[in-house]
């Protein structure tokens, strides 16, 4: 670029299209440009706020039994319209559609699959808070290429994603993306409509003093998560010997973005509030793409007991526990799950034993 800036198109052409045939992903850059077009359209609509006439409930529920907002449906439609025509996709799934959306026969069919959450954190809409969109791209397997696209085509582990990303609609709109070569952030230059690379090769600090969890669910958590949070809350006088800070924005996009920018841990763990649910977040279009971005930025993402990218989905709208962020903290929480499952963390099952000042002898200086 003459002005030295890297637009999204330049980045994608350099990273994907000018690669040897063996590593190239034909058409992926064009597909991602269409996804970016969806995001620009959504950003424009959200910026209008209440003046856009799209606030309020849609009088319908999605497959999770959640009341849909008009904006949930509108943003879903924007993704479909921008991405269905280009001949690169075989099908799409979304939080707001019960079934697989097969590409209409009027358009050519490609062999990529797109899973998306068109509007993440939609409870923030009414308060003019931060929301986002999340997407994940995989490829139809060779043996399914000629078959009609059904649910089974999408039931692949996240480690098979060829691209993943999110948009964050905050004071500025950003697209954060990975095609497997690190995690990169682009800021929307609204006046000209370009996404410009502003955050190249984002790295998550390995250590952190910040964690995010919806503490109102504490009584439903499993012991290893309680142990971790209690230790953090004990702060400088506890066994961690440092103070921690908490955050909760109620939008996974906003939490992950903060973690990519300055580190931290985000948890929506398994809990016993609704045991059948396993977790709150959806594997295909929330947990999997975010785990891809976090790992590509040097962080970790686990259910507590396994790497999220290795979880093989059993259903389109499957939920999964999520613990992600700074690698040393996530590893610690994974270890707490392991110790709990082996019955090795007995002395820690009481919060009192986590307080150095209460029952544990002071370590000599
Ligand atoms: P969505 O708006 O797409 O349904 O997702 C909301 C999700 C996630 O983004 C967020 O972390 C979590 O739900 C918030 O949950 P609480 O309602 O427990 O705060
Ligand atoms: Mn969501
Ligand atoms: Mn959503």
């Amino acid at each position: 670029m003459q002005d030295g800036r890297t637009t999204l198109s330049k980045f994608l052409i350099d990273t994907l299209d000018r690669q040897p045939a063996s590593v190239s992903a034909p058409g992926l850059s064009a597909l991602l440009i269409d996804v970016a077009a969806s995001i620009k359209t959504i950003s424009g609509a959200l910026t209008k706020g209440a003046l856009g006439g799209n606030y309020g409930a849609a009088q319908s529920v999605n497959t999770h039994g959640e009341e849909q907002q008009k904006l949930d449906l509108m943003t879903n439609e924007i993704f479909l319209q921008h991405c269905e025509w280009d001949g690169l996709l075989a099908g799409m799934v979304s939080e707001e559609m019960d079934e697989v959306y097969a590409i209409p026969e009027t358009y050519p069919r490609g062999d990529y699959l797109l899973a998306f959450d068109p509007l993440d954190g939609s409870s923030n809409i009414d308060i003019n808070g931060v929301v986002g969109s999340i997407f994940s791209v995989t490829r139809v397997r060779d043996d399914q290429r000629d078959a009609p696209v059904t649910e089974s085509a999408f039931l692949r582990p996240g480690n098979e994603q060829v691209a993943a990303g999110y948009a964050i609609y905050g004071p500025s709109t950003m697209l954060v993306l990975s095609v497997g070569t690190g995690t990169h952030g682009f800021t929307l230059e609204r006046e000209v409509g370009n996404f410009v690379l502003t955050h190249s090769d984002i790295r998550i600090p390995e250590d952190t003093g910040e964690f995010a969890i919806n503490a109102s669910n504490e009584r439903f958590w499993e012991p290893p998560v309680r142990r971790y949070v209690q230790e953090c809350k004990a702060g400088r006088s506890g066994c961690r010997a440092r103070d921690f800070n908490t955050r909760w924005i109620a939008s996974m996009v906003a939490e992950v973005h903060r973690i990519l920018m300055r580190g931290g841990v985000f948890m929506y763990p398994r809990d016993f509030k609704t045991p059948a649910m396993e977790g709150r977040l959806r594997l295909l279009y929330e947990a999997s793409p975010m785990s891809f971005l976090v790992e590509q930025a040097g962080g970790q993402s686990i259910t507590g007991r396994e790497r999220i990218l290795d979880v093989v989905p059993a259903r389109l709208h499957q939920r999964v526990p999520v613990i992600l962020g700074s690698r040393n903290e996530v590893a610690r929480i994974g270890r707490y799950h392991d110790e709990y499952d082996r019955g090795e963390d007995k002395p820690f099952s009481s919060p009192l034993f986590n307080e150095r000042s209460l029952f544990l002898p002071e370590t000599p200086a």
Side-chain angles (χ1 to χ4, degrees):
M1 296 273 306
Q2 277 180 336
D3 65 359
R5 303 201 305 179
T6 301
T7 59
L8 177 65
S9 329
K10 179 176 189 302
F11 172 87
L12 291 173
I13 289 167
D14 282 348
T15 313
L16 291 170
D17 299 342
R18 291 190 182 149
Q19 295 301 321
S22 56
V23 293
S24 76
L28 181 57
S29 54
L31 171 59
L32 293 172
I33 293 290
D34 286 338
V35 170
S38 319
I39 287 165
K40 288 186 228 178
T41 305
I42 293 170
S43 176
L46 293 177
T47 304
K48 293 190 174 68
L51 298 174
N54 294 309
Y55 272 21
Q59 314 294 344
S60 55
V61 291
N62 66 15
T63 187
H64 303 284
E66 299 160 343
E67 191 180 15
Q68 290 171 306
Q69 303 291 308
K70 283 184 198 160
L71 278 171
D72 286 321
L73 298 184
M74 190 184 125
T75 54
N76 190 68
E77 200 56 36
I78 289 172
F79 265 93
L80 295 181
Q81 283 176 5
H82 281 81
C83 300
E84 68 179 355
W85 63 276
D86 60 17
L88 297 165
L89 284 174
M92 294 185 247
V93 299
S94 132
E95 178 181 320
E96 308 305 340
M97 301 187 294
D98 294 354
E99 314 277 346
V100 171
Y101 181 88
I103 298 303
E105 283 177 8
T106 39
Y107 301 119
R109 174 181 151 166
D111 55 19
Y112 290 107
L113 301 166
L114 182 67
F116 60 91
D117 173 358
L119 194 61
D120 174 70
S122 49
S123 70
N124 281 357
I125 285 290
D126 293 344
I127 59 158
N128 200 13
V130 173
V131 292
S133 303
I134 312 172
F135 62 91
S136 158
V137 183
T138 51
R139 249 179 137 157
V140 179
R141 282 173 7 156
D142 288 348
D143 59 345
Q144 293 187 327
R145 214 160 262 177
D146 298 321
V149 181
T150 58
E151 180 169 348
S152 72
F154 284 88
L155 302 182
R156 307 299 311 159
N159 58 36
E160 292 185 11
Q161 289 171 103
V162 293
Y166 65 79
I168 179 164
Y169 310 106
S172 62
T173 290
M174 283 187 70
L175 167 63
V176 176
L177 176 74
S178 180
V179 292
T181 59
T183 297
H184 309 279
F186 301 81
T187 303
L188 180 61
E189 192 174 23
R190 212 174 280 279
E191 301 74 24
V192 280
N194 273 339
F195 273 111
V196 180
L197 182 63
T198 47
H199 298 67
S200 182
D201 203 12
I202 298 167
R203 304 305 294 169
I204 300 175
E206 292 184 358
D207 294 296
T208 181
E210 229 168 41
F211 67 100
I213 190 164
N214 183 343
S216 69
N217 293 325
E218 182 162 3
R219 65 194 185 283
F220 304 114
W221 297 338
E222 288 191 279
V225 173
R226 282 173 186 243
R227 172 184 173 188
Y228 178 75
V229 171
Q230 280 162 0
E231 288 180 0
C232 290
K233 282 177 13 187
R236 202 172 302 187
S237 58
C239 65
R240 298 298 306 272
R242 66 174 293 183
D243 290 334
F244 284 78
N245 210 351
T246 64
R247 290 284 183 276
W248 189 250
I249 309 178
S251 158
M252 186 191 201
V253 164
E255 314 281 3
V256 169
H257 191 69
R258 184 187 61 252
I259 288 169
L260 285 168
M261 294 297 110
R262 67 175 190 216
V265 173
F266 167 81
M267 290 171 275
Y268 219 118
R270 184 170 168 216
D271 66 40
F272 297 108
K273 194 172 182 179
T274 318
M277 269 174 41
E278 276 289 299
R280 163 85 169 85
L281 298 167
R282 283 56 60 113
L283 178 56
L284 279 181
Y285 40 81
E286 291 177 322
S288 236
M290 291 309 210
S291 301
F292 191 75
L293 293 166
V294 164
E295 285 202 5
Q296 285 288 322
Q300 272 195 15
S301 184
I302 59 172
T303 63
R305 296 179 168 87
E306 63 181 318
R307 181 182 178 227
I308 287 182
L309 290 180
D310 292 337
V311 176
V312 181
R315 296 175 308 282
L316 277 189
H317 298 286
Q318 178 175 337
R319 299 182 194 251
V320 70
V322 175
I323 296 164
L324 60 77
S326 293
R327 60 181 312 121
N328 290 340
E329 289 299 301
V330 176
R332 174 185 284 268
I333 302 166
R335 178 159 56 79
Y336 287 4
H337 281 78
D338 190 46
E339 287 175 8
Y340 173 70
D341 291 347
R342 291 166 190 265
E344 287 173 5
D345 70 338
K346 290 285 186 299
F348 296 100
S349 52
S350 157
L352 298 179
F353 282 99
N354 293 330
E355 307 282 337
R356 206 194 253 170
S357 54
L358 287 177
F359 289 102
L360 295 180
E362 285 289 339
T363 332

